[in-house]
Amino acid sequence: MHKLSGKRIFSGIQPTGIPHIGNYLGAIRHWVELQNANECLFCLVDMHAITVWQEPHLLKTQIIEQTAVLMACGIDPKKHILFNQSAVHAHARLAWIFNCVSRVGWMNRMTQFKDKAGKNREAYSAGLYVYPNLMAADILVYQATYVPVGEDQRQHIELTNDIAQKFNHDYKVDFFREVKGVIPEISARVMNLRDGSKKMSKSDPSEQGRITLLDTDDDIALKIRKAKSDAEPLPFEKNELDRRLEAKNLISMYSVLAQQPIENVLKDFGGKGFAALKLALTDIVIEIISPIRKETHHLLNDSQYILNILRSGAEKASAIANPIIEKVESLVGYVK
Ligand code: AMP
Ligand code: TRP
């Protein structure tokens, strides 16, 4: 599926809850594939996480848990680099410089801040406001060129390129190259099972709208059975899905997991009610998630092992990032 090879890949995920099937289909499964022919860095972005309040003991547990989930999904920390962001100080150092390169006007256009802060923006942290500058630093501090993410991160990747260009322009260098988002064609935006107009999200207070990678088989079956549907039979035509958000979401998930084009799925399920599709989807989701859940629990029996993985990941990441941040700081004019 991915033709990329020989590239440096970077991506991140917030350790703020258990990853869900949206994270898996939009991002993690592509990370796993990209490992075959590229040099990959995968980062638990704990500095991004604290832009909204996190209970300290819970944050620690979730970093460990999420590392285990990623390994259970197939991320290989021996061949690639798996680490937590705060352990590599170069991220914060470059983020500060980018806070000074980036413009307030650019931040004001970022939709994620508007979505999260809503009408109450005065009450949110300044960190949440400049979150996209830190994300740009995450990527560019490794001079990574490809970033596999879901659709919601497209605007942040564009901003990363704006910052890179402005840095090059201001300091009259050709230091940062263009970064490309790797965004899947299908399921780049998995929707909430109870509301097809809302993105499936870790932070949604209700668990019913998302399937997490640690859900039991029974949880999965129940959540899919209760997923919102509509009264019409499933369509035969793909373009009909655009006005049927819930049908589109379930069909898209099935299409990716069954590795069948949407047209074929509609050939099988068109004209039928939602029940048949939901049963088929349940089977295939359980087939994917059940081994991930079991392996995660197995890995979590030894949290020291996970901590060692993160520590060694941070060392490997620092070895790449340190010469780059040193160079940037010297371009900026810091005295060492
Ligand atoms: P987050 O959970 O926000 O840290 O996201 C981690 C990765 O999963 C990012 O690449 C997101 O774009 C992706 N992602 C998050 N939610 C979804 C979703 N509902 N559908 C598809 N991809 C998603
Ligand atoms: N902002 C991303 C999200 O919420 C997580 C993230 C942080 C990231 N830094 C990154 C993703 C760098 C890709 C590259 O999903």
Side-chain angles (χ1 to χ4, degrees):
M1 183 186 192
H2 295 291
K3 303 255 160 24
L4 291 178
S5 66
K7 307 292 184 201
R8 183 173 289 159
I9 308 277
F10 183 95
S11 200
I13 183 165
Q14 298 200 44
T16 49
I18 303 163
H20 50 67
I21 190 101
N23 297 127
Y24 183 76
L25 296 178
I28 302 170
R29 67 191 280 272
H30 304 281
W31 302 1
V32 173
E33 259 187 52
L34 286 162
Q35 291 182 123
N36 293 329
N38 300 282
E39 175 195 18
C40 301
L41 295 116
F42 299 119
C43 183
L44 296 122
V45 292
D46 46 8
M47 291 161 66
H48 279 102
I50 63 163
T51 56
V52 296
W53 172 250
Q54 304 295 329
E55 282 302 332
H57 69 280
L58 250 177
L59 182 62
K60 276 190 187 146
T61 321
Q62 286 179 344
I63 291 171
I64 295 172
E65 189 174 73
Q66 199 166 99
T67 307
V69 171
L70 292 179
M71 287 165 64
C73 287
I75 299 300
D76 181 349
K78 299 250 157 63
K79 296 204 185 109
H80 297 274
I81 303 180
L82 181 59
F83 69 107
N84 62 310
Q85 186 183 28
S86 61
V88 179
H89 296 167
H91 290 248
R93 288 159 66 183
L94 188 58
W96 183 256
I97 292 170
F98 284 175
N99 280 339
C100 304
V101 171
S102 186
R103 303 287 94 181
V104 169
W106 298 358
M107 296 295 98
N108 287 340
R109 285 195 286 278
M110 293 292 115
T111 56
Q112 184 166 299
F113 180 76
K114 290 185 204 163
D115 290 347
K116 285 203 177 174
K119 291 203 177 67
N120 199 14
R121 50 183 288 159
E122 304 282 312
Y124 276 78
S125 75
L128 186 68
Y129 188 62
V130 294
Y131 176 119
N133 298 338
L134 174 58
M135 176 159 162
D138 296 339
I139 300 166
L140 293 174
V141 83
Y142 301 98
Q143 295 185 319
T145 46
Y146 285 83
V147 182
V149 282
E151 176 63 41
D152 59 349
Q153 299 304 311
R154 192 185 288 277
Q155 194 186 35
H156 289 158
I157 306 277
E158 285 165 9
L159 179 90
T160 301
N161 284 321
D162 291 342
I163 292 176
Q165 270 179 25
K166 185 162 189 297
F167 180 92
N168 287 345
H169 176 267
D170 290 353
Y171 292 100
K172 299 180 182 54
V173 286
D174 185 18
F175 192 73
F176 292 119
R177 294 290 147 79
E178 193 190 353
V179 168
K180 296 202 173 64
V182 185
I183 300 177
E185 275 169 30
I186 308 178
S187 284
R189 189 174 171 85
V190 174
M191 308 311 280
N192 186 300
L193 295 178
R194 293 296 178 97
D195 179 353
S197 67
K198 249 181 30 189
K199 185 180 76 166
M200 186 180 284
S201 150
K202 286 199 218 99
S203 54
D204 198 293
S206 165
E207 282 246 350
Q208 301 313 310
R210 62 176 174 266
I211 296 172
T212 82
L213 299 185
L214 297 183
D215 278 353
T216 63
D217 296 355
D218 288 347
D219 294 335
I220 296 168
L222 188 70
K223 286 180 185 174
I224 296 181
R225 185 148 55 81
K226 295 244 169 124
K228 190 171 169 205
S229 52
D230 60 44
E232 292 175 59
L234 291 164
F236 290 99
E237 296 298 328
K238 193 172 164 183
N239 57 12
E240 290 246 346
L241 288 175
D242 289 335
R243 60 174 190 87
R244 309 264 309 267
L245 297 180
E246 282 78 20
K248 182 176 184 176
N249 195 32
L250 299 178
I251 295 263
S252 304
M253 275 195 263
Y254 184 81
S255 149
V256 176
L257 291 169
Q259 296 180 22
Q260 281 185 36
I262 295 215
E263 289 79 1
N264 291 11
V265 179
L266 292 178
K267 252 184 225 144
D268 290 343
F269 292 100
K272 299 180 183 162
F274 277 72
L277 171 66
K278 284 183 171 182
L279 283 178
L281 182 63
T282 301
D283 285 347
I284 206 156
V285 170
I286 289 178
E287 208 176 298
I288 299 284
I289 289 187
S290 174
I292 294 176
R293 179 185 65 238
K294 288 177 189 148
E295 178 62 11
T296 303
H297 289 313
H298 172 69
L299 287 164
L300 286 174
N301 285 331
D302 189 354
S303 52
Q304 196 51 48
Y305 173 70
I306 308 274
L307 288 169
N308 290 342
I309 297 270
L310 288 174
R311 193 164 308 124
S312 115
E315 275 168 25
K316 290 192 276 180
S318 298
I320 302 175
N322 286 344
I324 296 174
I325 186 65
E326 290 293 333
K327 176 76 190 157
V328 174
E329 288 180 344
S330 129
L331 287 171
V332 166
Y334 289 179
V335 172
K336 300 265 175 178

